[in-house]
Amino acid sequence: MGIDSGSAALLYLAADSPACTVHGFATGSKAEIVVGARSVVAQVNLVAPALLPEGEAGLSETAWRRLRVPEGSMAQIAAAPPARSFALVRAKIYGQELDREAAGAIVGEIAHGLYSDIEIASFITACAGGSLKVGEVAALTAGMVQAGQRLAWPRAPVVDKHCVGGLPGNRTTLLVVPIVAACGLLIPKTSSRAITSPAGTADAMETLAPVTLDLAQMRRVVEREGGCIVWGGAVQLSPADDVLIRVARPLDFDGDASLVSSVLSKKVAAGSTHVVIDIPVGPSAKVRTAAAATSLIRLFHVVSLHFGLTLRMIETDGSQPVGRGIGPALEAHDALAVLRGLPAAPADLRRRALMLAGEVLELGGKAAPGAGLAMARGALDSGAAWRKFEAICEAQGGLRTPPVAGFRQEWCASRAGRVIAVDNRRLARVAKQAGAPLDAVAGVEFGAPLGTAVSRGQPLFTVHAASPGALARAMDYLHIHQDIVVIGEAP
């Protein structure tokens, strides 16, 4: 039907269609559409008879992508089975612990589309607020892995790097993958799209090369180049996690248990054996205190033991953005500048990526303890990482130049002084108001890191947008929230 329904799979039926008569469908009912060996569960939306010819049904774009059959196919439509596992959610609400069988049943039916958003929200709420014990987090992680595909690779170790998020512009994956692959380790990287941030790794990478690869295509890239950077949603790794995240974000339930199960389920499903996890800590990052970081690290380590993963947790500075670009294309431009060794490349992004790549090389046994940073720097400075990145992009469908915005406006200092604080969350919000991540060119070009001496009227950052309306929306937000960059007295 050409209808963008977000992440929801929708089925459109004429109100007088035989399917509605036979099954008693109403708007909001769940239906299963079967075409040969393929099927998808979708929510029914009734439309006026004039919109659909007799005997035809329509799908939203999300349902169409999941079903993956030719237009005009004959389909069987029936009422979807009820979510039988919801009784286990009720048991959790009343205090019963989740075991692997219960978690697997719940997550499996969520992934299959049998839960409504209200039922999913009930499950998320039952698991929030520190109510899950370590064994329950492991059970939930295992259930997420079981609900999707699980990859296996012909050689080990299989390394990965992940950031828990909350820091604008921290697009180190685009650098770490080619550095590590150029040094000879296997790093099949599956990344997510943005959910609440101005850009996910997959969004930034998509401005440089295709990321929507299926499993066979991903395998070919990795076999050829030793690494990839693809969208995890296309290869159906831990598919229930994407559904849970979609419902959890508006509720603002993002506790340690959900974070750990989300991250580890995707690493296990991707076949990773050794993972470096970046935890930015700062007053406006996702992890705000050293105590919170310690608690999160402990949970990561304990749960990872259930799956035989080797983790290395790295606490990093989360007090300000990394690099200059915030938004898909702007972050891609930063990464390209570092890979190409351009003089204007952001030094902080380079340092952070080299440090993380060095940790991955040491954890994966490619570099001796303490020698990883030098190996990573050698791969970057020699051009080997850039050549590997070009090769990965070509294998994924072709390297392209990131676009640039047609509309820009500077935000300037209202007083002279020195930058003493940056609100990461609100700066990210400016980029989103400008249209990121849906408009790949939209975002913020940041130019006022901590300690910068500024004069009155000096630009602090530049807002990029694809349209005048989006630019105006971002500037309106800035006029309400003016202290995103805090300027103190000059020493």
Side-chain angles (χ1 to χ4, degrees):
M1 298 286 284
I3 297 173
D4 181 357
S5 59
S7 59
L10 302 181
L11 166 68
Y12 300 94
L13 291 172
D16 63 351
S17 70
C20 290
T21 303
V22 171
H23 297 293
F25 286 141
T27 291
S29 301
K30 289 283 187 177
E32 184 169 30
I33 305 107
V34 179
V35 179
R38 305 198 62 81
S39 67
V40 67
V41 173
Q43 178 179 298
V44 174
N45 277 17
L46 300 185
V47 300
L51 293 180
L52 280 170
E54 184 176 352
E56 290 194 9
L59 297 179
S60 67
E61 288 299 294
T62 296
W64 185 258
R65 285 194 301 269
R66 291 180 188 171
L67 192 58
R68 295 197 306 248
V69 296
E71 190 166 6
S73 299
M74 292 300 296
Q76 292 179 317
I77 298 174
R84 295 183 177 87
S85 65
F86 194 71
L88 301 171
V89 176
R90 294 192 188 94
K92 176 59 188 171
I93 291 171
Y94 286 102
Q96 184 170 318
E97 288 188 25
L98 281 177
D99 58 21
R100 284 209 174 197
E101 184 178 355
I106 293 167
V107 172
E109 291 196 332
I110 288 173
H112 196 58
L114 299 183
Y115 273 49
S116 67
D117 282 1
I118 292 175
E119 290 168 331
I120 296 170
S122 299
F123 176 60
I124 292 168
T125 305
C127 298
S131 65
L132 292 187
K133 298 178 181 177
V134 171
E136 292 179 288
V137 179
L140 182 57
T141 305
M144 290 181 176
V145 174
Q146 181 182 331
Q149 298 197 68
R150 186 167 180 176
L151 306 182
W153 302 99
R155 61 186 172 96
V158 179
V159 298
D160 202 350
K161 164 264 167 191
H162 183 84
C163 178
V164 300
L167 197 58
N170 192 19
R171 204 54 56 214
T172 54
T173 293
L174 302 187
L175 304 169
V176 172
V177 169
I179 290 171
V180 170
C183 292
L185 285 177
L186 199 67
I187 181 164
K189 179 64 179 168
T190 60
S191 298
S192 60
R193 296 190 183 277
I195 300 166
T196 60
S197 65
T201 295
D203 301 310
M205 182 65 179
E206 195 167 42
T207 69
L208 295 161
V211 297
T212 308
L213 277 62
D214 62 26
L215 189 55
Q217 292 169 323
M218 177 185 170
R219 284 190 182 279
R220 284 194 293 270
V221 174
V222 176
E223 288 169 2
R224 176 174 153 182
E225 300 300 339
C228 67
I229 306 172
V230 302
W231 175 44
V235 289
Q236 288 292 293
L237 300 180
S238 191
D241 185 52
D242 295 329
V243 180
L244 292 169
I245 288 172
R246 175 179 62 82
V247 177
R249 289 306 189 197
L251 298 174
D252 200 21
F253 289 166
D254 194 17
D256 287 359
S258 60
L259 173 61
V260 169
S261 61
S262 172
V263 172
L264 293 187
S265 67
K266 290 183 176 179
K267 301 310 167 191
V268 173
S272 302
T273 61
H274 294 67
V275 184
V276 169
I277 298 183
D278 175 15
I279 304 180
V281 181
S284 58
K286 183 178 290 186
V287 181
R288 300 190 180 186
T289 66
T294 299
S295 175
L296 180 61
I297 288 170
R298 185 182 300 117
L299 184 58
F300 261 117
H301 275 304
V302 174
V303 175
S304 71
L305 295 176
H306 290 258
F307 303 95
L309 283 173
T310 300
L311 299 186
R312 181 172 294 182
M313 317 293 291
I314 310 293
E315 291 183 51
T316 57
D317 177 18
S319 60
Q320 61 181 329
V322 179
R324 287 188 287 273
I326 302 170
L330 290 168
E331 293 176 21
H333 281 293
D334 276 359
L336 285 180
V338 174
L339 284 166
R340 289 169 169 164
L342 301 182
D348 59 337
L349 177 62
R350 173 187 161 91
R351 284 193 302 270
R352 198 180 193 100
L354 284 173
M355 180 273 294
L356 291 169
E359 296 286 351
V360 173
L361 291 168
E362 292 179 22
L363 186 65
K366 194 67 178 180
L373 179 59
M375 182 179 287
R377 186 182 293 116
L380 184 60
D381 291 346
S382 69
W386 168 235
R387 291 190 294 273
K388 177 57 71 174
F389 186 77
E390 286 184 297
I392 289 172
C393 288
E394 289 300 330
Q396 289 187 199
L399 177 64
R400 50 202 182 205
T401 302
V404 295
F407 300 89
R408 307 178 190 184
Q409 188 166 338
E410 294 174 339
W411 183 257
C412 301
S414 60
R415 53 171 294 185
R418 192 172 296 275
V419 177
I420 60 172
V422 179
D423 190 323
N424 289 309
R425 291 173 181 265
R426 285 186 172 172
L427 193 61
R429 185 66 180 170
V430 174
K432 291 173 65 179
Q433 291 291 321
L438 293 180
D439 289 330
V441 298
V444 170
E445 188 176 2
F446 182 67
L450 295 175
T452 302
V454 298
S455 56
R456 178 183 170 89
Q458 179 177 330
L460 300 174
F461 53 85
T462 303
V463 181
H464 292 233
S467 68
L471 183 62
R473 185 171 61 243
M475 301 310 292
D476 287 345
Y477 178 85
L478 278 168
H479 283 102
I480 297 172
H481 303 284
Q482 298 189 16
D483 290 332
I484 290 174
V485 177
V486 181
I487 300 173
E489 297 292 336

